[in-house]
Amino acid sequence: MPEVPIVHMRTFIHGIAEEDLIGKQSDRLLISRVKELTAGKILVGHNIKSDLEVLEIIPTQARVRDTAEQFAWTLGKQWPSLKDLASQKLGIEIQTGAHDSKEDAFVSLLIFVNQFYCIFH
């Protein structure tokens, strides 16, 4: 369970319910483990900075690939949504049901790899 009380769970955004946290590792242990797993790695995501702040991870700019920043002003929007980028860049529809962070992470990576591939081919 989290170390501080949950004021508003926001399950509609991330799909995690309070009962999903019962018996799970502490915030400190989770943050420590994520830091270990990401040390020295390139981190890819959409609007990833806020996620990294929560996890207390401060990577160098060279280690971050943020599709929100990479495609700023695409589709006539300063910050296009991941859903819109997935449609335009990959021709797929995402986020049709409850929020799925694994889907978001995977699609962000696909968009990045697709863009990288297009540059060299």
Side-chain angles (χ1 to χ4, degrees):
M1 286 295 288
E3 296 160 358
V4 295
I6 299 170
V7 176
H8 189 307
M9 194 61 193
R10 300 179 62 148
T11 301
F12 68 96
I13 293 175
H14 47 65
I16 301 170
E18 198 163 348
E19 56 268 15
D20 295 332
L21 302 177
I22 296 171
K24 302 298 183 197
Q25 61 193 336
S26 70
D27 293 350
R28 286 284 123 222
L29 184 59
L30 176 63
I31 288 170
S32 174
R33 184 69 177 127
V34 171
K35 284 181 177 181
E36 286 175 25
L37 291 170
T38 60
K41 307 284 190 314
I42 292 177
L43 307 174
V44 178
H46 188 80
N47 199 14
I48 192 172
K49 286 184 177 150
S50 57
D51 296 324
L52 296 176
E53 284 176 16
V54 169
L55 294 168
E56 302 169 5
I57 297 173
I58 306 169
T60 62
Q61 190 63 30
R63 286 186 39 222
V64 175
R65 303 297 183 271
D66 191 327
T67 55
E69 289 183 9
Q70 183 178 1
F71 295 101
W73 295 107
T74 300
L75 308 172
K77 299 176 182 177
Q78 182 177 3
W79 305 113
S81 69
L82 183 58
K83 183 174 184 146
D84 289 345
L85 285 175
S87 178
Q88 185 208 37
K89 301 291 182 186
L90 303 173
I92 61 173
E93 184 179 8
I94 64 167
Q95 301 172 344
T96 58
H99 181 255
D100 183 342
S101 57
K102 290 182 280 187
E103 176 185 56
D104 288 357
F106 184 66
V107 169
S108 296
L109 182 60
L110 284 176
I111 290 169
F112 172 73
V113 169
N114 183 57
Q115 184 68 16
F116 183 76
Y117 179 80
C118 290
I119 291 171
F120 292 101
H121 287 87

